[in-house]
Amino acid sequence: MKRSVGEGLLLLGFFGITGTLLLAFLWAPSVSIDAFESPAAQRIFYWHVPAAWAAFIAFGALFAGSAGWLFWRSERMWRLHIAGSEAGLATGLMTVWSGCVWGAAEWGTPWDWSDVRLNTFGLLTLLAVYLVLGRNSQPDGVETRDTFAGFGLYGFVLVPFTYVATRIWAVRHPGPVVATSEGSSLNGDMGLVLLIGAISFTLLILGHIMMSMQITSIEQSMERLQKKMDGGM
């Protein structure tokens, strides 16, 4: 059976993030004992940062899909809205989970309610939870779609806010270590593993979005066929 592009990207991403975890635990160098309270826990960084990157891609897709539905009534964009919300939920939970593992080991608490970046990203993930669960519990219709697309559109403001939060309000969450004006603070081996993770998570999330859109398209076709069959009886 011929595989779709989405399936191929999904498989490549899955194997890539599995390899990233292995490299993080078995090959990537450890940090100085003086740099962290729990040096071994920093290895979750190679999962946490790429997962957050993929989450921002997913929420970007959610924003585009929401705008496409609200302004152009595009069925394809509505499918992108669905795919973006589902991908945002998956990667958002990955990011929150791995961040809590880091926080518990390094800070002594999995979550700090005074940290702006933690809270804004948490709200983004809760938005994805609401969109996915709400859509699955409500009948499909124009008003329902408008409501969820509106939340997806306005909720996107949290993405740039989350990105710059540690630059403005540095509390617990570390500031950026790559793509800074001072350059990267990572050595070559650490940067390589992080790059592999970022590429792998990007492939995974793109494949996830493409597969989700295909599945939603099939579901919609089956629903239309079922309505025609019911109407003919």
Side-chain angles (χ1 to χ4, degrees), residues 51-133:
W53 162 255
F56 287 148
I57 295 175
F59 286 116
L62 172 63
F63 173 80
S66 300
W69 168 256
L70 283 173
F71 298 120
W72 294 285
R73 296 304 193 205
S74 168
E75 286 291 334
R76 184 176 180 81
M77 289 294 100
W78 175 248
R79 292 195 292 271
L80 182 59
H81 165 94
I82 294 173
S85 63
E86 293 175 345
L89 175 58
T91 50
L93 290 176
M94 288 181 191
T95 305
V96 169
W97 167 80
S98 56
C100 287
V101 171
W102 159 264
E106 179 65 21
W107 305 331
T109 179
W111 198 271
D112 185 344
W113 293 103
S114 66
D115 193 290
V116 176
R117 183 162 189 168
L118 296 183
N119 294 327
T120 54
F121 193 90
L123 287 174
L124 269 174
T125 305
L126 287 176
L127 171 66
V129 171
Y130 166 74
L131 292 176
V132 172
L133 295 183

Side-chain angles (χ1 to χ4, degrees), residues 16-59:
I17 63 175
T18 301
T20 300
L21 277 178
L22 291 175
L23 288 173
F25 285 104
L26 302 177
W27 182 73
S30 183
V31 295
S32 168
I33 191 83
D34 298 325
F36 296 99
E37 292 293 329
S38 180
Q42 62 85 25
R43 294 182 183 275
I44 202 69
F45 161 86
Y46 301 104
W47 173 284
H48 177 73
V49 174
W53 162 255
F56 287 148
I57 295 175
F59 286 116

